[in-house]
Amino acid sequence: MTRTKRGYIARRRRAKMRLFTLSFRGAHSKLTRTMTQEKIKALVSADQDRDRKKRDFRRLWICRINAVIRENRINKIYYNYSSFLYNLYKSQLLINRKILAQIAILSRNCLYMISNEILKSKKNSPEIELREGRVEICMRK
């Protein structure tokens, strides 16, 4: 049986790896074994960072909404983010955090109008309370 030389196939596989790790420093872009390890590590990090990006944006939106809500001292409403969102969902105004953050940045008056609407609906709506094991419906005045 004749001898088969695999140099071409192996070289092509390593060349593809080298293109991926071209910008890495030192041995991470030169040596084949460390190249493969660094490629795997880079791809894992890229996957984790896609999830991290979603978390970071959500935190940013929450910070923006909270900052604008706390500034609203015109109407003597001392809100914070958690109570604002609780009342928002309770009054069935379903707006996600991304849109609320854009409204907070671009037009604060619009966000203040939304918070005023929440307060109006909160005053006029009956509140369900649990007292001593039974449910009571109370109107706010």
Side-chain angles (χ1 to χ4, degrees):
M1 189 176 229
T2 59
R3 178 171 160 249
T4 306
K5 295 165 72 175
R6 294 176 38 102
Y8 167 71
I9 296 164
R11 202 168 32 252
R12 189 169 58 181
R13 190 183 69 242
R14 290 182 197 120
K16 276 195 278 186
M17 187 84 65
R18 201 163 266 120
L19 284 173
F20 186 86
T21 59
L22 194 65
S23 61
F24 296 171
R25 294 183 72 181
H28 299 293
S29 65
K30 303 279 191 286
L31 305 177
T32 305
R33 188 176 293 170
T34 52
M35 270 193 317
T36 56
Q37 291 170 355
E38 287 303 307
K39 181 181 178 182
I40 291 167
K41 187 175 180 181
L43 291 173
V44 166
S45 296
D47 187 43
Q48 287 172 346
D49 288 343
R50 278 195 295 276
D51 292 338
R52 182 89 214 160
K53 185 178 171 185
K54 293 174 182 69
R55 275 182 261 158
D56 289 342
F57 269 108
R58 185 183 169 98
R59 284 177 62 192
L60 176 70
W61 297 331
I62 289 170
C63 287
R64 285 178 175 172
I65 295 166
N66 195 17
V68 173
I69 286 297
R70 284 175 187 264
E71 269 183 13
N72 187 10
R73 297 178 193 237
I74 300 164
N75 301 329
K76 304 293 183 202
I77 303 164
Y78 297 101
Y79 254 143
N80 59 4
Y81 169 79
S82 61
S83 62
F84 172 71
L85 232 65
Y86 172 72
N87 292 328
L88 187 79
Y89 280 99
K90 199 172 176 184
S91 61
Q92 297 177 345
L93 294 172
L94 302 175
I95 305 172
N96 64 9
R97 288 165 184 82
K98 180 180 179 180
I99 301 301
L100 279 173
Q102 287 177 347
I103 290 170
I105 295 296
L106 298 175
S107 60
R108 292 177 181 197
N109 292 334
C110 188
L111 192 70
Y112 297 154
M113 287 170 48
I114 291 171
S115 65
N116 289 338
E117 284 298 318
I118 291 170
L119 286 176
K120 285 178 190 174
S121 66
K122 190 176 171 185
K123 287 177 184 174
N124 296 334
S125 67
E127 185 177 307
I128 298 172
E129 292 181 0
L130 184 66
R131 290 185 187 163
E132 299 170 4
R134 57 179 196 268
V135 176
E136 293 181 9
I137 298 175
C138 310
M139 289 297 290
R140 288 195 176 187
K141 293 178 184 175

mmCIF file of all heavy atoms in Angstrom, residues 16-45:
data_model
loop_
_atom_site.group_PDB
_atom_site.id
_atom_site.type_symbol
_atom_site.label_atom_id
_atom_site.label_comp_id
_atom_site.label_asym_id
_atom_site.label_seq_id
_atom_site.Cartn_x
_atom_site.Cartn_y
_atom_site.Cartn_z
ATOM 1 N N LYS A 16 -7.240 27.986 8.195
ATOM 2 C CA LYS A 16 -8.547 28.549 8.571
ATOM 3 C C LYS A 16 -8.538 28.986 10.035
ATOM 4 O O LYS A 16 -9.057 30.041 10.384
ATOM 5 C CB LYS A 16 -9.662 27.506 8.358
ATOM 6 C CG LYS A 16 -10.179 27.466 6.938
ATOM 7 C CD LYS A 16 -11.474 26.715 6.868
ATOM 8 C CE LYS A 16 -11.232 25.230 6.816
ATOM 9 N NZ LYS A 16 -12.453 24.451 6.604
ATOM 10 N N MET A 17 -7.908 28.145 10.867
ATOM 11 C CA MET A 17 -7.802 28.484 12.282
ATOM 12 C C MET A 17 -6.954 29.736 12.463
ATOM 13 O O MET A 17 -7.263 30.606 13.262
ATOM 14 C CB MET A 17 -7.164 27.309 13.028
ATOM 15 C CG MET A 17 -7.154 27.458 14.501
ATOM 16 S SD MET A 17 -8.684 26.938 15.226
ATOM 17 C CE MET A 17 -8.675 25.214 14.834
ATOM 18 N N ARG A 18 -5.888 29.828 11.693
ATOM 19 C CA ARG A 18 -4.975 30.968 11.802
ATOM 20 C C ARG A 18 -5.661 32.268 11.378
ATOM 21 O O ARG A 18 -5.393 33.326 11.946
ATOM 22 C CB ARG A 18 -3.741 30.702 10.939
ATOM 23 C CG ARG A 18 -2.547 31.507 11.338
ATOM 24 C CD ARG A 18 -1.229 30.966 10.785
ATOM 25 N NE ARG A 18 -0.608 30.090 11.784
ATOM 26 C CZ ARG A 18 -0.326 28.810 11.586
ATOM 27 N NH1 ARG A 18 -0.611 28.233 10.444
ATOM 28 N NH2 ARG A 18 0.238 28.094 12.528
ATOM 29 N N LEU A 19 -6.568 32.210 10.422
ATOM 30 C CA LEU A 19 -7.312 33.402 10.004
ATOM 31 C C LEU A 19 -8.204 33.908 11.135
ATOM 32 O O LEU A 19 -8.357 35.107 11.315
ATOM 33 C CB LEU A 19 -8.175 33.099 8.771
ATOM 34 C CG LEU A 19 -7.424 33.018 7.445
ATOM 35 C CD1 LEU A 19 -8.355 32.543 6.349
ATOM 36 C CD2 LEU A 19 -6.817 34.354 7.096
ATOM 37 N N PHE A 20 -8.775 32.973 11.897
ATOM 38 C CA PHE A 20 -9.632 33.361 13.016
ATOM 39 C C PHE A 20 -8.827 34.018 14.134
ATOM 40 O O PHE A 20 -9.243 35.002 14.728
ATOM 41 C CB PHE A 20 -10.370 32.128 13.560
ATOM 42 C CG PHE A 20 -11.380 32.446 14.612
ATOM 43 C CD1 PHE A 20 -12.669 32.796 14.261
ATOM 44 C CD2 PHE A 20 -11.047 32.402 15.955
ATOM 45 C CE1 PHE A 20 -13.618 33.093 15.233
ATOM 46 C CE2 PHE A 20 -11.975 32.700 16.934
ATOM 47 C CZ PHE A 20 -13.259 33.048 16.567
ATOM 48 N N THR A 21 -7.638 33.447 14.409
ATOM 49 C CA THR A 21 -6.836 33.920 15.540
ATOM 50 C C THR A 21 -5.738 34.890 15.111
ATOM 51 O O THR A 21 -4.763 35.077 15.833
ATOM 52 C CB THR A 21 -6.197 32.716 16.263
ATOM 53 O OG1 THR A 21 -5.378 32.012 15.333
ATOM 54 C CG2 THR A 21 -7.242 31.805 16.834
ATOM 55 N N LEU A 22 -5.899 35.503 13.978
ATOM 56 C CA LEU A 22 -4.870 36.378 13.418
ATOM 57 C C LEU A 22 -4.544 37.561 14.333
ATOM 58 O O LEU A 22 -3.390 37.943 14.472
ATOM 59 C CB LEU A 22 -5.359 36.902 12.059
ATOM 60 C CG LEU A 22 -4.344 37.550 11.146
ATOM 61 C CD1 LEU A 22 -3.325 36.510 10.711
ATOM 62 C CD2 LEU A 22 -5.021 38.138 9.937
ATOM 63 N N SER A 23 -5.544 38.113 14.992
ATOM 64 C CA SER A 23 -5.329 39.314 15.792
ATOM 65 C C SER A 23 -4.931 39.016 17.233
ATOM 66 O O SER A 23 -4.701 39.941 18.008
ATOM 67 C CB SER A 23 -6.599 40.151 15.787
ATOM 68 O OG SER A 23 -7.648 39.404 16.356
ATOM 69 N N PHE A 24 -4.843 37.735 17.619
ATOM 70 C CA PHE A 24 -4.467 37.399 18.986
ATOM 71 C C PHE A 24 -2.980 37.629 19.189
ATOM 72 O O PHE A 24 -2.209 37.613 18.229
ATOM 73 C CB PHE A 24 -4.822 35.941 19.309
ATOM 74 C CG PHE A 24 -6.289 35.638 19.271
ATOM 75 C CD1 PHE A 24 -6.728 34.331 19.363
ATOM 76 C CD2 PHE A 24 -7.241 36.629 19.130
ATOM 77 C CE1 PHE A 24 -8.074 34.033 19.327
ATOM 78 C CE2 PHE A 24 -8.591 36.345 19.098
ATOM 79 C CZ PHE A 24 -9.001 35.038 19.196
ATOM 80 N N ARG A 25 -2.556 37.823 20.449
ATOM 81 C CA ARG A 25 -1.166 38.174 20.739
ATOM 82 C C ARG A 25 -0.307 36.945 21.002
ATOM 83 O O ARG A 25 -0.761 35.962 21.583
ATOM 84 C CB ARG A 25 -1.108 39.075 21.963
ATOM 85 C CG ARG A 25 -1.740 40.418 21.728
ATOM 86 C CD ARG A 25 -1.596 41.289 22.917
ATOM 87 N NE ARG A 25 -0.201 41.730 23.050
ATOM 88 C CZ ARG A 25 0.231 42.502 24.017
ATOM 89 N NH1 ARG A 25 -0.583 42.899 24.959
ATOM 90 N NH2 ARG A 25 1.497 42.863 24.071
ATOM 91 N N GLY A 26 0.936 37.024 20.583
ATOM 92 C CA GLY A 26 1.947 36.021 20.921
ATOM 93 C C GLY A 26 1.644 34.643 20.397
ATOM 94 O O GLY A 26 1.231 34.460 19.246
ATOM 95 N N ALA A 27 1.860 33.649 21.257
ATOM 96 C CA ALA A 27 1.694 32.253 20.864
ATOM 97 C C ALA A 27 0.238 31.917 20.543
ATOM 98 O O ALA A 27 -0.035 30.929 19.867
ATOM 99 C CB ALA A 27 2.190 31.344 21.980
ATOM 100 N N HIS A 28 -0.693 32.743 21.014
ATOM 101 C CA HIS A 28 -2.115 32.474 20.774
ATOM 102 C C HIS A 28 -2.465 32.572 19.294
ATOM 103 O O HIS A 28 -3.508 32.068 18.871
ATOM 104 C CB HIS A 28 -2.981 33.446 21.573
ATOM 105 C CG HIS A 28 -2.784 33.334 23.044
ATOM 106 N ND1 HIS A 28 -3.156 32.224 23.769
ATOM 107 C CD2 HIS A 28 -2.220 34.182 23.936
ATOM 108 C CE1 HIS A 28 -2.843 32.405 25.044
ATOM 109 N NE2 HIS A 28 -2.271 33.584 25.172
ATOM 110 N N SER A 29 -1.622 33.210 18.517
ATOM 111 C CA SER A 29 -1.881 33.272 17.075
ATOM 112 C C SER A 29 -0.845 32.491 16.270
ATOM 113 O O SER A 29 -0.949 32.408 15.053
ATOM 114 C CB SER A 29 -1.876 34.721 16.603
ATOM 115 O OG SER A 29 -0.590 35.284 16.757
ATOM 116 N N LYS A 30 0.139 31.887 16.937
ATOM 117 C CA LYS A 30 1.222 31.193 16.221
ATOM 118 C C LYS A 30 1.167 29.668 16.362
ATOM 119 O O LYS A 30 1.308 28.949 15.381
ATOM 120 C CB LYS A 30 2.575 31.669 16.756
ATOM 121 C CG LYS A 30 2.804 33.163 16.667
ATOM 122 C CD LYS A 30 3.244 33.581 15.288
ATOM 123 C CE LYS A 30 3.722 35.010 15.253
ATOM 124 N NZ LYS A 30 2.631 35.991 15.328
ATOM 125 N N LEU A 31 0.964 29.180 17.573
ATOM 126 C CA LEU A 31 1.032 27.748 17.831
ATOM 127 C C LEU A 31 -0.347 27.102 17.674
ATOM 128 O O LEU A 31 -1.347 27.615 18.171
ATOM 129 C CB LEU A 31 1.555 27.492 19.245
ATOM 130 C CG LEU A 31 2.906 28.146 19.576
ATOM 131 C CD1 LEU A 31 3.273 27.877 21.018
ATOM 132 C CD2 LEU A 31 3.988 27.636 18.654
ATOM 133 N N THR A 32 -0.366 25.957 16.989
ATOM 134 C CA THR A 32 -1.627 25.336 16.606
ATOM 135 C C THR A 32 -2.475 24.939 17.810
ATOM 136 O O THR A 32 -3.673 25.202 17.845
ATOM 137 C CB THR A 32 -1.356 24.090 15.736
ATOM 138 O OG1 THR A 32 -0.553 24.486 14.636
ATOM 139 C CG2 THR A 32 -2.646 23.495 15.230
ATOM 140 N N ARG A 33 -1.868 24.329 18.808
ATOM 141 C CA ARG A 33 -2.650 23.855 19.954
ATOM 142 C C ARG A 33 -3.249 25.031 20.735
ATOM 143 O O ARG A 33 -4.423 25.005 21.101
ATOM 144 C CB ARG A 33 -1.773 23.007 20.864
ATOM 145 C CG ARG A 33 -2.571 22.327 21.959
ATOM 146 C CD ARG A 33 -1.714 21.419 22.786
ATOM 147 N NE ARG A 33 -1.247 20.282 21.982
ATOM 148 C CZ ARG A 33 -0.321 19.416 22.382
ATOM 149 N NH1 ARG A 33 0.269 19.570 23.553
ATOM 150 N NH2 ARG A 33 0.038 18.411 21.619
ATOM 151 N N THR A 34 -2.452 26.058 20.978
ATOM 152 C CA THR A 34 -2.979 27.219 21.697
ATOM 153 C C THR A 34 -3.972 27.983 20.840
ATOM 154 O O THR A 34 -4.917 28.573 21.377
ATOM 155 C CB THR A 34 -1.850 28.168 22.149
ATOM 156 O OG1 THR A 34 -1.036 28.486 21.038
ATOM 157 C CG2 THR A 34 -1.018 27.547 23.240
ATOM 158 N N MET A 35 -3.803 27.953 19.512
ATOM 159 C CA MET A 35 -4.777 28.596 18.620
ATOM 160 C C MET A 35 -6.153 27.966 18.774
ATOM 161 O O MET A 35 -7.163 28.674 18.895
ATOM 162 C CB MET A 35 -4.344 28.458 17.151
ATOM 163 C CG MET A 35 -3.485 29.559 16.656
ATOM 164 S SD MET A 35 -3.300 29.560 14.865
ATOM 165 C CE MET A 35 -3.058 27.887 14.428
ATOM 166 N N THR A 36 -6.201 26.632 18.793
ATOM 167 C CA THR A 36 -7.494 25.958 18.907
ATOM 168 C C THR A 36 -8.140 26.256 20.259
ATOM 169 O O THR A 36 -9.351 26.500 20.332
ATOM 170 C CB THR A 36 -7.350 24.434 18.736
ATOM 171 O OG1 THR A 36 -6.402 23.956 19.684
ATOM 172 C CG2 THR A 36 -6.911 24.079 17.337
ATOM 173 N N GLN A 37 -7.321 26.272 21.323
ATOM 174 C CA GLN A 37 -7.859 26.574 22.657
ATOM 175 C C GLN A 37 -8.409 27.997 22.715
ATOM 176 O O GLN A 37 -9.495 28.237 23.258
ATOM 177 C CB GLN A 37 -6.772 26.396 23.717
ATOM 178 C CG GLN A 37 -6.375 24.961 23.928
ATOM 179 C CD GLN A 37 -5.137 24.833 24.791
ATOM 180 O OE1 GLN A 37 -4.513 25.815 25.160
ATOM 181 N NE2 GLN A 37 -4.771 23.589 25.099
ATOM 182 N N GLU A 38 -7.671 28.933 22.144
ATOM 183 C CA GLU A 38 -8.096 30.329 22.175
ATOM 184 C C GLU A 38 -9.330 30.575 21.305
ATOM 185 O O GLU A 38 -10.164 31.406 21.631
ATOM 186 C CB GLU A 38 -6.961 31.253 21.733
ATOM 187 C CG GLU A 38 -5.863 31.392 22.759
ATOM 188 C CD GLU A 38 -6.370 31.881 24.096
ATOM 189 O OE1 GLU A 38 -7.050 32.919 24.147
ATOM 190 O OE2 GLU A 38 -6.091 31.210 25.108
ATOM 191 N N LYS A 39 -9.447 29.816 20.209
ATOM 192 C CA LYS A 39 -10.635 29.946 19.368
ATOM 193 C C LYS A 39 -11.882 29.493 20.125
ATOM 194 O O LYS A 39 -12.910 30.165 20.125
ATOM 195 C CB LYS A 39 -10.482 29.128 18.089
ATOM 196 C CG LYS A 39 -11.676 29.241 17.169
ATOM 197 C CD LYS A 39 -11.528 28.416 15.925
ATOM 198 C CE LYS A 39 -12.771 28.541 15.075
ATOM 199 N NZ LYS A 39 -12.698 27.709 13.880
ATOM 200 N N ILE A 40 -11.767 28.349 20.816
ATOM 201 C CA ILE A 40 -12.892 27.845 21.606
ATOM 202 C C ILE A 40 -13.252 28.851 22.694
ATOM 203 O O ILE A 40 -14.432 29.173 22.911
ATOM 204 C CB ILE A 40 -12.546 26.475 22.215
ATOM 205 C CG1 ILE A 40 -12.449 25.418 21.111
ATOM 206 C CG2 ILE A 40 -13.567 26.047 23.261
ATOM 207 C CD1 ILE A 40 -11.814 24.112 21.539
ATOM 208 N N LYS A 41 -12.241 29.391 23.376
ATOM 209 C CA LYS A 41 -12.468 30.350 24.451
ATOM 210 C C LYS A 41 -13.143 31.613 23.923
ATOM 211 O O LYS A 41 -14.059 32.160 24.544
ATOM 212 C CB LYS A 41 -11.134 30.703 25.105
ATOM 213 C CG LYS A 41 -11.248 31.550 26.335
ATOM 214 C CD LYS A 41 -9.892 31.743 26.973
ATOM 215 C CE LYS A 41 -9.998 32.598 28.207
ATOM 216 N NZ LYS A 41 -8.698 32.829 28.830
ATOM 217 N N ALA A 42 -12.704 32.067 22.741
ATOM 218 C CA ALA A 42 -13.274 33.278 22.146
ATOM 219 C C ALA A 42 -14.735 33.069 21.767
ATOM 220 O O ALA A 42 -15.577 33.953 21.984
ATOM 221 C CB ALA A 42 -12.469 33.689 20.927
ATOM 222 N N LEU A 43 -15.059 31.918 21.227
ATOM 223 C CA LEU A 43 -16.438 31.652 20.825
ATOM 224 C C LEU A 43 -17.348 31.517 22.037
ATOM 225 O O LEU A 43 -18.499 31.964 22.021
ATOM 226 C CB LEU A 43 -16.498 30.394 19.958
ATOM 227 C CG LEU A 43 -15.853 30.534 18.575
ATOM 228 C CD1 LEU A 43 -15.814 29.198 17.862
ATOM 229 C CD2 LEU A 43 -16.575 31.556 17.733
ATOM 230 N N VAL A 44 -16.850 30.920 23.121
ATOM 231 C CA VAL A 44 -17.635 30.810 24.356
ATOM 232 C C VAL A 44 -17.899 32.204 24.918
ATOM 233 O O VAL A 44 -19.017 32.531 25.329
ATOM 234 C CB VAL A 44 -16.911 29.921 25.388
ATOM 235 C CG1 VAL A 44 -17.508 30.066 26.770
ATOM 236 C CG2 VAL A 44 -16.971 28.471 24.961
ATOM 237 N N SER A 45 -16.864 33.049 24.920
ATOM 238 C CA SER A 45 -17.016 34.409 25.444
ATOM 239 C C SER A 45 -18.005 35.210 24.615
ATOM 240 O O SER A 45 -18.797 35.988 25.164
ATOM 241 C CB SER A 45 -15.666 35.130 25.456
ATOM 242 O OG SER A 45 -14.788 34.482 26.335
#
